[in-house]
Amino acid sequence: MKKEYEVTPYEVKGEVDYEKLIKEFGVERINDKLIERIEKHTGDLNILLKRRVFFAHRDLNWLLDEYEKGNKFFIYTGRASSKGSKVHIGHLMPWIMCKWLQDKFDAEMWFQFPDEEKFLYKPELTLKDTEEATYEDMLDVIALGFNTKKTFFIIDTQHANLLYREACRVAKKITFSTVKSSFGFTESNNIGSIFYTSMQAVLAFLPSVLKGKNIPCVIPLGIDQDPHFRISRDVMPKIGHYKPAIMHNVFLPPLTGMGGKMAASSNKDAAIFTTDSPSEVKRKINKYAFSGGRDTLEEHRKLGGNPDIDISFQYLKMMFEPDDKKLARIETDYRSGKLLSGELKAILIEKINTFLKEHQEKREKAKLIIDKFIFKG
Ligand code: TYM
């Protein structure tokens, strides 16, 4: 039977069924017990955990066991830059989680910029294109406020001397047939793309190699990136390292409707980029944000709207309204018909533009400190 959706690092299609994905990928749901266990250490919960945007995991209980024994962990995530595919607000989800974890657990952050990845996958890209895009994307990461002293950027082509040796050790234990079935590759994929997954694996244990002792690792990521680690986690104990723990977030959907993944490369009007101006944000949301409202004002007042399918409400719930009471009021008013679709959109526009104003100021300032983040090993 053909599936209605597809989730790989290189393609997200159709209406994603997260319940089915949990079973298919063999990950565990983040349940209340685990949330309580995290909160015991952090004192509070960030919105992404509270609202279960981070919904699944691998081995988080092990990570906390180690932490409670005094074995501190480091955090790892990444971003593969590509010309014409700028950072959007969905990309920020795993990075905001990383920043929160860094603050709460005083942890090192290792951030990979695989500038060869999209070069290998997209025929039209040059290495110069991806290098330039990497610079822009680093600004977005820095703007989130990572600790300069504890955050290390690794750029694959610049740090190849550190990565290549370890990537070979991983690559030797992964067959072409595994990569083919996990990523939907065919015989005509280039050989660079076949090797790439071993480059992404390395940072999950590189700090252990550099420090000469095994250090636990946690990787917050969008669930599309899980297949890289599903393959490579099994290899790590075989080469003498811990398997990393993973935390998976659902996708921020595109403006045009629930179920899919906001993506920079498909419909530019369906994504909100971190560099969008206030008027662009307003235009996109007013014109494209899928509404759960009724066709006419009379009908809406009488029957009410549906926040479950309303993109503006969902963005507030997932990212932009951390106050539970305010969110509950918006939901009740929308369901009852008191709050109109245009008014709900106005609330979201205001929230996103406030966030982006600050983000863009920090992004400018980041240009002056970028060098402090690049790993000098
Ligand atoms: P990339 O550049 O495609 O995406 C960066 C991160 O953003 C997540 N993401 C989303 N999350 C929520 N909603 C969305 N609409 C959305 N779109 C993308 C992705 O899942 C990812 O976590 N190969 C990687 C780069 C990488 C990496 C890593 C990622 C290198 N090492 C380690 C995670 C962990 C890539 O192409 O990500």
Side-chain angles (χ1 to χ4, degrees):
M1 205 182 77
K2 214 173 157 355
K3 278 199 309 186
E4 291 101 45
Y5 64 89
E6 199 68 62
V7 176
T8 78
Y10 302 107
E11 186 155 45
V12 175
K13 290 200 293 234
E15 182 118 353
V16 182
D17 182 331
Y18 290 103
E19 211 49 65
K20 284 196 186 143
L21 211 54
I22 284 182
K23 291 204 188 81
E24 188 190 324
F25 281 14
V27 297
E28 284 179 72
R29 191 167 268 288
I30 294 186
N31 59 22
D32 293 350
K33 208 165 144 218
L34 182 53
I35 292 273
E36 273 169 36
R37 194 170 175 200
I38 296 169
E39 201 175 1
K40 224 174 68 202
H41 292 288
T42 56
D44 58 16
L45 283 180
N46 101 345
I47 181 167
L48 299 169
L49 268 177
K50 189 163 66 170
R51 304 273 165 76
R52 302 295 197 271
V53 170
F54 276 83
F55 73 111
H57 76 105
R58 294 181 188 273
D59 287 341
L60 264 188
N61 279 304
W62 162 79
L63 187 88
L64 292 170
D65 288 345
E66 289 300 314
Y67 183 77
E68 286 165 11
K69 282 189 251 166
N71 207 3
K72 284 183 75 169
F73 57 83
F74 71 93
I75 309 157
Y76 161 40
T77 202
R79 157 72 177 156
S81 309
S82 148
K83 188 180 176 184
S85 173
K86 296 184 292 184
V87 170
H88 57 62
I89 53 175
H91 290 125
L92 302 183
M93 285 177 159
W95 309 345
I96 289 170
M97 176 54 69
C98 289
K99 150 78 178 146
W100 183 76
L101 289 171
Q102 176 172 69
D103 289 349
K104 295 290 176 182
F105 292 93
D106 187 31
E108 279 190 0
M109 173 78 225
W110 288 74
F111 208 110
Q112 181 177 36
F113 293 92
D115 52 346
E116 83 283 38
E117 183 181 2
K118 298 277 161 78
F119 164 75
L120 290 167
Y121 286 95
K122 295 191 177 177
E124 70 281 10
L125 286 182
T126 64
L127 274 173
K128 191 160 176 288
D129 290 335
T130 55
E131 280 157 15
E132 283 168 8
T134 294
Y135 171 81
E136 290 297 320
D137 294 354
M138 287 194 288
L139 302 178
D140 280 301
V141 175
I142 295 170
L144 294 175
F146 287 98
N147 179 338
T148 4
K149 297 214 165 62
K150 292 198 161 212
T151 304
F152 308 99
F153 287 180
I154 296 282
I155 304 154
D156 282 13
T157 61
Q158 289 184 33
H159 292 95
N161 55 340
L162 275 180
L163 304 177
Y164 186 63
R165 186 174 184 277
E166 301 307 323
C168 286
R169 296 174 73 212
V170 177
K172 191 172 177 177
K173 301 214 178 298
I174 300 176
T175 64
F176 179 34
S177 75
T178 302
V179 170
K180 239 161 82 173
S181 60
S182 302
F183 301 137
F185 286 0
T186 65
E187 299 286 327
S188 53
N189 271 91
N190 69 55
I191 58 174
S193 60
I194 298 160
F195 183 76
Y196 171 73
T197 196
S198 53
M199 293 294 279
Q200 185 152 326
V202 172
L203 263 82
F205 62 86
L206 183 69
S208 301
V209 173
L210 295 174
K211 289 175 190 156
K213 63 168 186 179
N214 276 338
I215 311 168
C217 167
V218 61
I219 314 176
L221 43 66
I223 188 133
D224 58 323
Q225 292 297 314
D226 185 74
H228 284 299
F229 297 104
R230 198 163 68 228
I231 298 175
S232 60
R233 267 168 40 97
D234 287 341
V235 174
M236 294 180 203
K238 296 183 192 155
I239 58 171
H241 297 292
Y242 292 137
K243 288 184 181 184
I246 317 241
M247 297 171 73
H248 309 83
N249 62 266
V250 298
F251 302 121
L252 187 74
L255 283 169
T256 42
M258 297 295 289
K261 172 181 141 177
M262 179 180 280
S265 43
S266 40
N267 177 3
K268 301 250 178 287
D269 279 328
I272 291 177
F273 299 102
T274 58
T275 47
D276 278 352
S277 67
S279 60
E280 270 169 314
V281 170
K282 188 170 174 193
R283 179 187 68 84
K284 285 183 190 176
I285 293 176
N286 279 335
K287 192 153 176 207
Y288 299 102
F290 187 83
S291 165
R294 303 281 171 173
D295 289 343
T296 64
L297 179 67
E298 293 76 50
E299 259 186 77
H300 189 88
R301 291 281 189 224
K302 200 162 117 207
L303 302 168
N306 180 0
D308 303 332
I309 55 163
D310 190 291
I311 282 291
S312 303
F313 180 78
Q314 291 301 320
Y315 282 16
L316 288 171
K317 183 174 169 190
M318 292 169 100
M319 279 186 97
F320 294 103
E321 182 47 85
D323 185 324
D324 292 340
K325 284 202 189 109
K326 282 191 188 156
L327 189 77
R329 194 169 332 119
I330 292 170
E331 181 168 2
T332 312
D333 288 352
Y334 197 55
R335 277 195 204 282
S336 74
K338 189 173 162 201
L339 187 71
L340 302 176
S341 185
E343 292 166 338
L344 179 57
K345 287 187 176 195
I347 298 173
L348 180 70
I349 292 166
E350 154 74 16
K351 286 274 178 188
I352 294 188
N353 279 337
T354 305
F355 169 79
L356 286 184
K357 182 171 185 290
E358 198 184 323
H359 185 81
Q360 288 167 7
E361 282 164 14
K362 291 185 179 156
R363 208 178 171 280
E364 264 318 293
K365 290 193 186 129
K367 292 180 180 163
L368 306 173
I369 51 170
I370 204 161
D371 194 51
K372 288 191 186 162
F373 286 90
I374 297 172
F375 182 69
K376 323 265 182 324

